[in-house]
């Protein structure tokens, strides 16, 4: 909160010490183990990490979308309101209009027996209390802005291709003019070309209307172009946070380094016939609490990495990392 | 329009370690004018999933087959391993046409193997790793020394020590371990050719590199030939010797990885390359518009022309001369032209790439 | 391990240590452990074991004399007492002994009918699901005909043709209930066949039978198992229905036959609840036992059921 813009407007979203613990077969499985970040209006934050690192759990827990299956502690301040303790009716209002979610599988998130128009109009009529005529006009406009022509708005989800369904999902997310969109792997199942189209579309809409975005994916290079800031998660914690281009070009945490090398730059002789990977498997949640969680797979790990607790610390302007080998540097924010 | 900037310096060095086998060798696996047409259903016309493809995989060579979903690449892969019977053309294994009698097919499957995209689904949840890997040898009655064979395959696939894995069930393995178990199941048959359909698409970024390393390693150590089907051009750069780009049932561009990825000629290849984020400040993808390709309604002339930026930007005179919307393109052959595009021909006024 | 070592030559004596094969039946052991964690299932299984044990041991303490209407000498339709804990029937036989003896025939019919149903239905279902095309369609058409057959009239006419008694009842139950299993198994087979591991097996060189027996069957088995426990329950009820309607042999003692005798022998008018109630409750208990066991098996085999 040291940047001048932050003083002008208070953060839209402030997450403090977020923990999410699942109950599984009588055991408590910690999926998210202390996550802090803030998001200003219009900010875009990318969250990257391997499957099982807690990135989706973290994002969905912000709106308490896990129900009773998970225990969520900490603070999630959305416009100053703590979503973790607020009443269900207030939370519902936030889910309708304040923050919406774009899920990964558009086919299962859409109701197969209703037209896409009906599905977009419904929240508008219910929540914004606009007349059905007005809602339909707005829905048509929205679908048009995501590239679904007016003649197709009365089609059913199965009549669309995967990319088009994901566009419909985005239109639905925008229906009640939210301040925040949480996109959980919005393009994972799609072709590269469609993926590029969707990201371009999302980027455009967000820039125009100053909607804040939290985007979750495992592909680091995609995030760098769509998000201003990047958070890399490992074993339920953020291990590196900073401006996306810097994080990608000059990663500080060894884990970020190996993630960024996993997708080669075509033309780079270093990666020709030399795929880069990271040996070993991610730790299972709750497996090991001592020291740096990445130490067992880290090429640079030392004895000191295996004990004590490791926190995210500032390592440069706007950057922070959780690695003993990166010297702390003040002037950054976390 | 340079798809990826700043690679002129890189290419000089990258071109050096080309390991393309001598062309006079009998290819390990070859598709000749191969086509697969699925009969139409629900009021749609027949789907020409693969519509005349020539492809050659040399001994010890890794070929990447790149394309978007619906381009026919998975059907081609299945036709090459004999799971789908072609409606036209031939599959040649070691120079001999594939025989589709049950006995000959079983014999063929001993040395030409398929690795599927989703390793979690490719393993029977009721079978432990030992039985999953032993499945192939048991089917081919290679039961003598079976435990040693299975352990050897597991070790070569990187599941070490094998005894720690044999008793586990698929759901007890990570995604990368599952894919290694699938590959071990292939290796247990000592195959000569491996066809991998999106082997890393469902895996995490860090695991992706490990599996690709394994495929490279198997080629180097065992001389395995491989066709890797993917939508990811970066994968081709990582492991392949040659690459073929498919669009709507045809190969539209082919060549060595360096040729195709550093000097793409076909506008489709260029567009595919342009959408890969490269970290540059001025990165602007060339987005293709229009409907996604549909194999039941293949456009006349060049099948890419409705979405082609080069065609859209061409002058009236060039359009009249090239006639992409009417004139059929010849089918590419391994020894022929690199790209199938009318606007590349010398009689057109457009330069190849700018 | 020692058995393997003695069986092989000395040269290979070390081989098992170098390349150990995972133990068999590990899955069965895990299943048993998980099943023990479900009290309802354990209760259900205990009920079944109790009845099975009684049925098996019955000949040890019940002689033919005690069941023969002509040889018994107890009071007629007497209320429960010290010597007749569940009272007597209209011929003076002990209802308790009848109940225990009746479990033999009832369970036999139920289990036999189920085995026929499940084996036949599963075979048809898997073959129809695997082959699809002409074979699959033809088999499903045949199944549809059988579904359309009205079960009660069919059973009655079968009994008329084959004669009264447990054999015709067993066949009648099997003929009318295999279709449900076949439909169920075919649907599951189609789902399993669509999964990549079947394609992998095919690519490795597996033929039709190997795919059906080694890949599909183990994945359809849990469903078959669960459905068979429910089929047993259904068979018991059908047996009771058919014998109640008089299709059983009057000389046999089954629970259905007991209700039949009680109903037509004047137990109602005599207010002899002790004669009517026990066979009904016994049927209820066994059906419940099978259902509880089936539900528990379903849960153990499919961990995703946990949330429902």
């Amino acid at each position: 909160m040291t940047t001048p813009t932050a003083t002008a407007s208070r953060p839209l979203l402030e997450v403090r010490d977020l923990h999410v613990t699942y109950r599984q077969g009588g055991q408590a499985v910690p999926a998210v183990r202390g996550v802090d970040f803030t998001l200003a209006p219009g900010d875009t934050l990318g969250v990257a990490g391997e499957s099982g690192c807690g990135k989706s759990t973290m994002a969905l827990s912000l709106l308490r979308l896990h129900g009773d299956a998970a225990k969520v502690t900490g603070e999630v301040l959305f416009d100053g309101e703590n979503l973790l303790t607020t009443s269900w009716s207030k939370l519902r209002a936030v889910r309708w209009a304040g923050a919406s979610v774009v899920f990964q599988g558009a086919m299962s998130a859409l109701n197969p027996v209703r037209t896409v128009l009906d599905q977009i109009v419904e929240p508008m009529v219910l929540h914004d209390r606009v007349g059905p005529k007005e809602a339909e006009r707005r829905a048509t406009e929205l679908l048009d802005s995501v590239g679904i022509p007016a003649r197709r708005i009365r089609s059913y989800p199965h009549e669309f291709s995967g990319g088009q369904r994901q566009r419909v999902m985005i239109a639905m997310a925008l229906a009640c003019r939210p301040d925040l969109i949480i996109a959980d792997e919005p393009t994972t199942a799609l072709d590269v070309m469609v993926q590029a189209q969707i990201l371009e579309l999302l980027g455009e809409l967000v820039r125009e209307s100053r909607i804040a975005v939290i985007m979750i994916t495992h592909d680091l290079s995609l995030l760098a172009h769509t998000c201003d800031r990047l958070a890399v998660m490992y074993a339920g914690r953020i291990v590196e946070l900073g401006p996306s281009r810097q994080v990608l070009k000059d990663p500080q945490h060894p884990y970020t380094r190996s993630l960024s090398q996993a997708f080669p730059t075509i033309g780079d002789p270093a990666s020709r016939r030399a795929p880069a990977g990271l040996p070993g498997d991610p730790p299972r949640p709750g497996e090991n609490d001592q020291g740096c969680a990445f130490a067992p797979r880290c090429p640079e790990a030392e004895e000191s990495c295996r004990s004590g607790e490791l926190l995210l610390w500032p390592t440069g302007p706007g950057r922070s990392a959780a690695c003993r080998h990166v010297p702390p540097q003040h002037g950054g924010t976390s | 329009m340079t798809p990826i900037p700043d690679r002129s310096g890189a290419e000089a060095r990258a071109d050096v370690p080309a390991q393309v086998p001598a062309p006079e060798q009998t290819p390990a696996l070859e598709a000749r004018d191969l086509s697969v047409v699925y009969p139409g259903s629900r009021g749609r016309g027949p789907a020409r999933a693969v519509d005349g493809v020539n492809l050659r995989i040399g001994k010890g060579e890794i070929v990447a087959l790149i394309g978007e979903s619906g381009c026919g690449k998975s059907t081609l892969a299945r036709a090459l391993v004999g799971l789908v019977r072609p409606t036209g053309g031939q599959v040649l294994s070691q120079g001999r046409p594939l025989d589709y009698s049950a006995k000959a097919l079983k014999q063929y499957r001993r040395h030409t193997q398929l690795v599927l995209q989703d390793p979690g689904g490719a393993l029977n949840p009721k079978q432990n790793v030992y039985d999953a890997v032993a499945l192939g040898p048991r089917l081919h009655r290679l039961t003598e020394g079976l435990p040693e064979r299975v352990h050897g395959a597991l070790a070569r696939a990187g599941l070490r020590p094998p005894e720690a894995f044999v008793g586990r069930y698929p759901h007890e393995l990570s995604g990368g371990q599952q894919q290694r178990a699938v590959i071990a199941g292939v290796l247990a048959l000592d195959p000569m050719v491996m066809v991998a359909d999106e082997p890393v698409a469902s895996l995490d970024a860090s695991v992706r590199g490990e599996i690709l390393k394994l495929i490279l390693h198997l080629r180097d150590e065992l001389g395995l030939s491989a066709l890797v089907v993917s939508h990811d051009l970066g994968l081709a750069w990582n492991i392949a010797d040659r690459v073929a780009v498919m669009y709507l049932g045809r190969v539209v561009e082919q060549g060595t990885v360096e040729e195709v990825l550093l000097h793409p000629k076909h506008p489709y290849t260029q567009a595919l390359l342009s959408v890969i984020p490269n970290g540059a400040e001025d990165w602007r993808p060339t987005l293709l518009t229009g409907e996604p390709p549909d194999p039941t309604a293949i456009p006349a002339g060049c099948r890419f022309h409705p979405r082609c930026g080069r065609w859209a930007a061409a002058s009236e005179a060039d359009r009249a001369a090239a006639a992409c919307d009417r004139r059929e393109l010849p089918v590419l052959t391994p020894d022929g032209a690199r790209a199938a595009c009318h606007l590349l021909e010398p009689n057109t006024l457009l330069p190849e790439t700018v | 391990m020692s058995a393997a070592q003695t069986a092989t030559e000395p040269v290979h004596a070390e081989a098992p240590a170098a390349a150990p094969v995972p133990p068999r039946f590990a899955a069965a052991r895990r299943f048993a452990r998980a099943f023990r964690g479900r009290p309802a299932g354990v209760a259900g299984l205990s009920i079944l074991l109790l009845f099975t044990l009684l049925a098996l041991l019955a000949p040890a303490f019940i002689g033919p004399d005690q069941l023969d209407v002509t040889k018994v000498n107890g009071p007629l339709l007497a209320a429960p007492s010290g010597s007749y804990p569940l009272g007597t029937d209209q011929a003076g036989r002990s209802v308790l002994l009848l109940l225990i003896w009746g479990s033999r025939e009832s369970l036999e019919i139920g289990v036999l009918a189920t085995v026929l149903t499940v084996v036949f239905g599963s075979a048809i279902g898997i073959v129809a699901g695997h082959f699809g095309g002409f074979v699959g369609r033809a088999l499903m058409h045949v199944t549809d005909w059988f579904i359309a057959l009205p079960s009660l009239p069919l059973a009655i006419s079968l009994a008329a043709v084959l004669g009264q008694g447990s054999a015709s009842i067993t066949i009648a139950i099997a003929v009318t209930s295999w279709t449900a299993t076949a439909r169920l198994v075919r649907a599951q087979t189609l789902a399993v066949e669509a999964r990549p591991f079947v394609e992998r097996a095919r690519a490795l060189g597996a033929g039709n039978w190997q795919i059906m027996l080694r890949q599909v069957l183990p994945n359809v088995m849990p469903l078959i198992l669960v459905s068979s426990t429910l089929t047993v329950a259904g068979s018991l009820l059908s047996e009771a229905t058919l014998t109640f309607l008089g299709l059983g042999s009057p000389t046999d003692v089954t629970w259905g036959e007991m209700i039949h005798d009680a109903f037509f022998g004047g137990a109602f008018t005599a207010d002899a609840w002790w004669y009517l109630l026990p066979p009904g409750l016994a049927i209820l208990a066994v059906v419940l036992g099978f259902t509880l066991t089936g539900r528990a098996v379903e849960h153990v085999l499919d961990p995703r059921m946990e949330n429902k």
Side-chain angles (χ1 to χ4, degrees):
Chain A
M1 255 184 285
T2 50
T3 44
T5 48
T7 47
S9 58
R10 67 171 173 179
L12 172 73
L13 180 73
E14 211 175 336
V15 176
R16 287 195 206 130
D17 198 30
L18 183 74
H19 286 256
V20 183
T21 308
Y22 277 112
R23 232 156 238 284
Q24 205 171 57
Q27 271 180 322
V29 180
V32 178
R33 308 186 297 153
V35 162
D36 302 74
F37 65 89
T38 57
L39 209 61
D43 241 5
T44 49
L45 174 74
V47 183
E50 286 168 291
S51 52
C53 74
K55 55 187 193 299
S56 291
T57 308
M58 185 276 285
L60 298 183
S61 70
L62 299 178
L63 294 180
R64 276 156 69 184
L65 285 170
H66 295 297
D68 299 332
K71 196 172 137 249
V72 185
T73 60
E75 271 181 21
V76 177
L77 300 174
F78 184 82
D79 259 339
E81 176 93 50
N82 188 350
L83 297 185
L84 297 185
T85 52
T86 193
S87 67
W88 277 104
S89 59
K90 278 221 175 97
L91 183 68
R92 237 188 330 265
V94 169
R95 282 190 195 166
W96 275 122
S100 45
V101 184
V102 178
F103 290 101
Q104 188 180 134
M107 193 63 209
S108 46
L110 289 171
N111 186 339
V113 296
R114 301 184 60 199
T115 67
V116 296
L117 181 69
D118 285 350
Q119 296 187 50
I120 296 185
V121 162
E122 188 183 29
M124 293 190 198
V125 174
L126 277 177
H127 180 76
D128 281 5
R129 306 198 187 285
V130 293
K133 273 264 161 359
E134 165 68 7
E136 198 171 318
R137 195 190 57 75
R138 259 170 63 186
T140 315
E141 232 175 73
L142 260 176
L143 284 168
D144 187 60
S145 72
V146 297
I148 306 280
R151 65 186 160 85
R152 299 209 54 193
I153 55 176
R154 283 174 213 281
S155 304
Y156 291 90
H158 71 266
E159 296 173 280
F160 291 99
S161 70
Q164 287 170 323
R165 282 199 287 267
Q166 204 52 270
R167 287 160 187 267
V168 172
M169 283 295 294
I170 291 175
M172 283 177 72
L174 292 168
C176 287
R177 303 191 177 109
D179 299 314
L180 171 69
I181 288 183
I182 298 172
D184 185 11
E185 308 251 10
T187 61
T188 296
L190 303 175
D191 271 320
V192 271
M193 189 57 69
V194 186
Q195 174 173 308
Q197 289 167 353
I198 299 282
L199 291 181
E200 189 74 9
L201 170 71
L202 201 58
E204 239 169 66
L205 294 170
V206 163
R207 266 191 300 280
E208 279 169 12
S209 45
R210 277 181 64 76
I211 302 171
V213 175
I214 297 177
M215 186 150 113
I216 298 140
T217 160
H218 63 277
D219 188 342
L220 211 59
S221 55
L222 276 183
L223 290 176
H225 288 282
T226 23
C227 301
D228 309 327
R229 282 192 307 153
L230 203 56
V232 178
M233 278 185 78
Y234 191 81
R237 288 202 176 123
I238 294 180
V239 293
E240 182 159 2
L241 180 68
S244 21
R245 263 173 230 288
Q246 286 181 33
V247 171
L248 195 67
K249 277 230 164 104
D250 170 34
Q252 292 178 322
H253 197 281
Y255 177 62
T256 317
R257 223 168 356 253
S258 61
L259 264 193
S260 71
Q261 283 163 1
F263 293 93
T265 309
I266 290 173
D268 173 15
S271 56
R272 179 72 181 116
R273 289 206 180 86
L278 182 61
D281 286 298
R284 285 159 193 256
E287 201 170 61
N288 167 22
D289 283 344
Q290 280 295 305
C292 170
F294 186 58
R297 298 168 81 189
C298 181
E300 298 157 38
E302 290 167 9
E303 213 33 59
S304 63
C305 295
R306 296 177 207 281
S307 57
E309 189 157 22
L310 209 53
L311 295 173
L312 200 60
W313 59 58
T315 54
R319 300 191 64 172
S320 43
C323 176
R324 276 192 215 289
H325 295 92
V326 186
Q329 191 184 339
H330 288 281
T333 50
S334 54
Chain B
M1 188 181 69
T2 317
I4 306 289
D6 190 31
R7 59 156 72 116
S8 46
E11 117 212 11
R13 276 168 294 155
D15 278 348
V16 180
Q19 299 171 354
V20 185
E24 62 271 15
Q25 264 188 346
T26 318
L29 190 59
E30 191 178 352
R32 226 176 256 173
D33 290 322
L34 198 74
S35 57
V36 179
V37 181
Y38 291 113
S41 62
R42 280 187 289 169
R44 285 165 161 250
R48 284 141 73 190
V50 178
D51 195 23
V53 166
N54 291 296
L55 191 71
R56 198 181 277 170
I57 300 138
K59 290 200 173 92
E61 191 182 33
I62 299 181
V63 177
L65 182 65
I66 305 290
E68 290 176 280
S69 58
C71 77
K73 59 188 197 295
S74 291
T75 306
L76 177 61
R78 279 160 181 75
L80 284 173
V81 296
L83 279 176
V84 169
R85 201 160 173 174
T87 43
Q90 281 182 321
V91 174
L92 290 94
S93 163
Q94 323 289 330
R96 280 194 307 277
L98 193 54
D99 178 352
Y100 287 91
S101 72
K103 205 174 162 193
L105 260 186
K106 187 166 177 182
Q107 194 54 38
Y108 176 63
R109 285 177 180 149
R110 248 214 79 177
H111 52 253
T112 306
Q113 275 304 322
L114 180 69
V115 170
L116 295 162
Q117 167 176 0
D118 165 25
L123 294 170
N124 189 335
K126 305 280 169 200
Q127 277 181 343
N128 60 26
V129 170
Y130 183 88
D131 288 324
V133 176
L135 178 64
R138 278 180 183 150
L139 287 169
H140 293 276
R141 299 182 198 287
L142 303 168
T143 42
E144 200 163 312
L146 184 62
E148 288 74 18
R149 185 181 274 271
V150 170
H151 281 243
L154 284 170
R156 271 181 289 161
L159 290 176
R160 294 191 200 91
E163 47 271 24
F165 292 96
V166 284
R168 294 214 217 161
Y169 283 83
H171 68 268
E172 297 167 326
L173 302 175
S174 68
Q177 289 169 340
Q178 287 172 345
Q179 191 62 295
R180 284 174 193 274
V182 170
I183 293 176
V186 166
L187 294 178
L189 285 173
D190 303 319
M192 287 183 272
V193 184
M194 181 166 88
V195 175
D197 187 7
E198 299 270 16
V200 294
S202 62
L203 301 177
D204 266 317
S206 59
V207 184
R208 172 188 182 277
E210 294 296 303
I211 296 293
L212 294 183
K213 262 187 216 168
L214 172 63
I215 296 175
L216 257 186
H217 179 78
L218 292 174
R219 189 268 299 271
D220 294 344
E221 296 289 303
L222 311 172
L224 198 68
S225 316
L227 177 74
V228 183
V229 178
S230 178
H231 65 274
D232 175 9
L233 284 164
L235 177 147
W237 181 257
N238 266 161
I239 62 168
D241 304 309
R242 286 195 303 117
V243 59
V245 179
M246 245 182 124
Y247 186 81
L248 261 185
R250 287 259 174 99
V251 172
V252 294
E253 182 158 4
Q254 59 182 3
T256 65
V257 166
E258 282 78 8
E259 281 171 354
V260 175
L261 298 195
L262 300 182
H263 309 288
K265 288 190 168 189
H266 198 282
Y268 180 61
T269 317
Q270 292 175 344
L272 279 183
L273 275 164
S274 79
V275 297
I276 303 173
N278 59 358
E281 291 285 337
D282 58 345
W283 177 66
R284 296 253 30 96
T286 311
L287 295 179
L288 294 179
T289 50
E291 295 289 304
D294 176 3
T296 62
I298 294 181
C302 168
R303 41 196 74 197
F304 184 59
H305 85 266
R307 302 173 79 193
C308 179
R310 200 179 280 172
W311 170 250
S315 67
E316 277 304 315
D318 288 338
R319 279 175 172 245
C324 296
D325 53 348
R326 299 186 300 277
R327 205 149 52 98
E328 280 293 325
L329 278 158
V331 175
L332 289 185
T333 58
D335 308 312
R338 252 190 58 202
C341 176
H342 286 310
L343 292 169
L344 276 180
E345 288 169 15
N347 62 349
T348 62
L349 297 170
L350 283 176
E352 288 188 359
T353 43
V354 183
Chain C
M1 195 65 79
S2 62
Q5 274 173 349
T6 49
T8 48
E9 305 148 24
V11 195
H12 288 290
E14 317 249 303
V21 177
R24 301 231 144 218
F25 309 118
R29 242 169 298 174
R30 226 171 343 164
F31 173 84
R33 208 175 315 131
F35 189 89
R36 277 200 294 272
R38 305 202 74 89
V42 174
L45 194 64
S46 311
I47 297 176
L48 295 184
L49 285 177
L50 180 76
F51 273 96
T52 314
L53 207 67
L54 275 178
L56 291 176
L57 294 178
F61 55 89
I62 302 175
D65 290 358
Q66 290 160 286
L67 297 172
D68 195 330
V69 241
T70 55
K71 297 193 177 136
V72 287
N73 50 5
L76 306 185
L77 275 182
S81 62
S83 45
Y84 297 101
L86 287 179
T88 61
D89 70 353
Q90 70 272 41
R93 297 179 293 183
S94 163
V95 172
L96 179 66
L97 294 186
L98 281 175
L99 194 68
I100 294 172
W101 195 258
S103 69
R104 290 169 63 82
E105 196 89 7
S106 286
L107 285 177
E108 195 185 306
I109 291 173
V111 170
L112 209 63
T114 302
V115 169
L116 284 175
T117 298
V118 166
V119 169
F120 197 62
S122 305
I124 298 279
I126 290 183
V127 170
H130 177 78
F131 285 105
F134 175 76
V135 178
R137 272 201 306 276
L139 283 174
M140 277 302 110
H141 277 308
V142 174
T143 314
D144 286 340
W145 294 336
F146 274 90
I147 286 179
L149 283 176
S151 55
L152 211 55
L154 177 80
I156 294 170
S157 26
L158 264 177
V161 175
L162 299 171
Q164 286 178 328
S166 56
S168 56
I169 287 178
T170 309
I171 292 172
I173 293 171
V175 164
T176 50
S177 58
W178 68 270
T179 49
T181 310
R183 287 243 146 222
L184 199 69
V185 170
R186 174 177 169 269
Q188 182 75 3
T189 303
L190 288 177
V192 172
E193 291 262 349
R195 287 163 67 183
F197 64 80
V198 173
E199 188 175 31
R200 171 175 175 261
R202 203 184 289 280
L204 284 168
N208 287 325
W209 294 106
Q210 281 152 331
I211 285 176
M212 282 190 277
L213 292 177
R214 302 234 143 213
Q215 306 296 326
V216 176
L217 188 62
N219 284 284
V220 179
M221 209 58 206
L223 186 82
I224 294 178
L225 219 63
V226 172
S227 100
S228 67
T229 59
L230 300 180
T231 310
V232 178
S235 300
L236 279 169
L237 292 174
S238 302
E239 186 271 330
T241 312
L242 294 176
T243 22
F244 178 75
L245 290 175
L247 297 177
S249 156
T251 51
D252 287 347
V253 179
T254 72
W255 292 336
E257 200 62 51
M258 284 173 73
I259 300 179
H260 173 86
D261 287 350
F263 189 78
F264 294 102
F268 259 125
T269 41
D271 266 347
W273 55 267
W274 57 89
Y275 189 17
L276 270 170
L277 222 47
L281 287 178
I283 292 172
L284 184 79
V286 173
V287 169
L288 189 70
F290 274 111
T291 315
L292 287 178
T293 313
R295 294 286 290 169
V297 169
E298 195 177 3
H299 276 275
V300 170
L301 291 177
D302 186 1
R304 281 167 304 172
M305 294 281 293
E306 201 74 27
N307 305 327
K308 291 182 193 164

